[in-house]
Amino acid sequence: MCRSLILAATVAFALSGFRADAQGTEEQDSWPADLEAAVSQEREAQGLPPVSPSAALRQAAQAHAEDMARTGYFALEGPPGSPTIESLVDKEGYRFTVVTERLVKAPLFETVEELAAGWRAAPDANCSSLFLDGVREVGAGVVESGDARIIAIVLATAGGPSPEVAAASAAFSALAREPAAARQALCAAISAQRTAWGLSALRVDAKLEEAANRHAQELLDAVLANRPTSEVGSLTDLVAAQRASGIPVEVSGEVSRQRRHAPRGSGVAESVGQLVVTDAASPEEALKVALRQDVSALRDARYRNIAVGLAVRPPVSAGAAGGRSIWVIALATH
């Protein structure tokens, strides 16, 4: 009799453990659908069109989340050889006019409702992803990694490229093919604008261009890696290190530390000015955006030299959205 009770208790305990595991698995399996529903509800609360679940986008999002967990990174673009979300969406046979992605790394105890409350509290931070107006479908991927969940939420609109998207795609692709010509054109346009303001024309400085180009690339790398651009060393420090060494500054972790601690009091901060333009697809567009910013640096009569740095990530395929660019307009007194 006692043995029977022990056996029954053991079976009951095993079954309760099985039910708990099954419940945890069910909860994990429900996360993608729950996230997709939450995104749609929050969009409607923001006055935006809802989005419908897409099996293809869910597959792409899941593949990206799994790649991040497996490879050990958390960014829109991973190490060399890692897929982009555009390539993963293409692999699922989903033709899109626009695609965007939001990445989240949340502790295991955080719920979908708590995540949604965070989105609701910061709509501006999600205006280019979860709350982008031109998307119609959504897919979410979730992977548990250690004590956190890695979440990828992909939103897109299916179909062939619109004329606007196709034109922007072609412009970014052309920019990536001929960056030197684009930099030269913007330098010339800014110099002409200064002449129209009654100021002296500017001379293109090759050393300053090296620094501006590297600064632009570092800024773009930070944007693509979902890191704050405030973590990137300044152009002033880069120029200071370049002048101090007398040779071009190599981009590496070691030099980055040197650059952040570059010697002060050399007058470099007073002799270098800059404007940063994001996602302009042509020199003409970059100039228009620059002139809408604070143009005090462009109108400063002390500056005699100019250089434009440019870093471009073209769209993943012809006609696709997703081109990115960083223009750094650098000015110097000497």
Side-chain angles (χ1 to χ4, degrees):
M1 178 66 176
C2 181
R3 182 179 178 184
S4 298
L5 288 173
I6 293 172
L7 180 60
T10 302
V11 171
F13 178 78
L15 287 174
S16 67
F18 174 79
R19 284 194 295 270
D21 290 344
Q23 184 179 4
T25 302
E26 288 173 3
E27 289 177 357
Q28 177 67 17
D29 290 346
S30 72
W31 265 77
D34 292 346
L35 284 165
E36 291 159 7
V39 169
S40 192
Q41 291 167 8
E42 292 302 322
R43 286 175 59 84
E44 289 190 274
Q46 297 291 328
L48 296 167
V51 283
S52 303
S54 163
L57 294 182
R58 186 185 289 189
Q59 285 288 104
Q62 186 66 30
H64 197 199
E66 290 175 358
D67 185 70
M68 285 188 284
R70 181 174 55 253
T71 312
Y73 70 95
F74 180 72
L76 295 174
E77 289 200 2
S82 295
T84 63
I85 193 58
E86 293 91 347
S87 67
L88 291 170
V89 170
D90 280 339
K91 185 178 179 181
E92 295 300 322
Y94 187 104
R95 285 182 55 80
F96 58 87
T97 58
V98 61
V99 64
T100 187
E101 181 179 29
R102 179 74 160 85
L103 302 181
V104 179
K105 194 169 186 178
L108 292 177
F109 59 78
E110 193 161 9
T111 65
V112 172
E113 291 75 16
E114 289 169 333
L115 287 175
W119 304 335
R120 195 180 312 130
D124 291 345
N126 296 290
C127 64
S128 63
S129 55
L130 301 181
F131 300 149
L132 185 65
D133 189 15
V135 292
R136 295 294 177 266
E137 295 184 296
V138 64
V142 182
V143 173
E144 288 190 4
S145 178
D147 59 355
R149 283 189 181 91
I150 295 176
I151 300 168
I153 304 173
V154 181
L155 301 98
T157 296
S162 66
E164 294 80 8
V165 170
S169 174
F172 276 110
S173 296
L175 197 63
R177 286 194 303 270
E178 298 289 344
R183 294 195 303 266
Q184 184 178 3
L186 183 54
C187 282
I190 292 172
S191 197
Q193 180 63 59
R194 278 176 57 96
T195 301
W197 287 333
L199 300 169
S200 61
L202 297 167
R203 182 180 67 85
V204 177
D205 186 293
K207 290 292 186 184
L208 187 61
E209 186 177 87
E210 287 180 9
N213 261 328
R214 292 176 181 185
H215 189 51
Q217 188 61 59
E218 290 179 353
L219 289 172
L220 182 59
D221 289 344
V223 169
L224 296 178
N226 208 27
R227 292 188 289 110
T229 55
S230 58
E231 294 181 358
V232 177
S234 71
L235 175 66
T236 300
D237 285 350
L238 184 54
V239 172
Q242 191 181 58
R243 291 179 181 176
S245 65
I247 58 174
V249 177
E250 295 298 327
V251 179
S252 68
E254 182 66 28
V255 175
S256 293
R257 287 194 293 274
Q258 291 175 6
R259 189 167 60 231
R260 292 191 186 96
H261 300 287
R264 304 294 181 179
S266 58
V268 173
E270 293 75 25
S271 67
V272 176
Q274 71 166 338
L275 279 84
V276 176
V277 174
T278 304
D279 291 340
S282 68
E284 294 77 16
E285 184 182 358
L287 179 63
K288 289 179 181 178
V289 174
L291 292 177
R292 290 198 297 266
Q293 299 182 35
D294 179 2
V295 296
S296 58
L298 295 181
R299 300 193 71 140
D300 194 325
R302 296 175 305 155
Y303 293 129
R304 294 289 183 267
N305 297 338
I306 186 173
V308 169
L310 174 59
V312 186
R313 190 199 72 169
V316 68
S317 60
R324 304 300 303 267
S325 68
I326 299 287
W327 304 71
V328 173
I329 302 168
L331 302 137
T333 57
H334 60 278

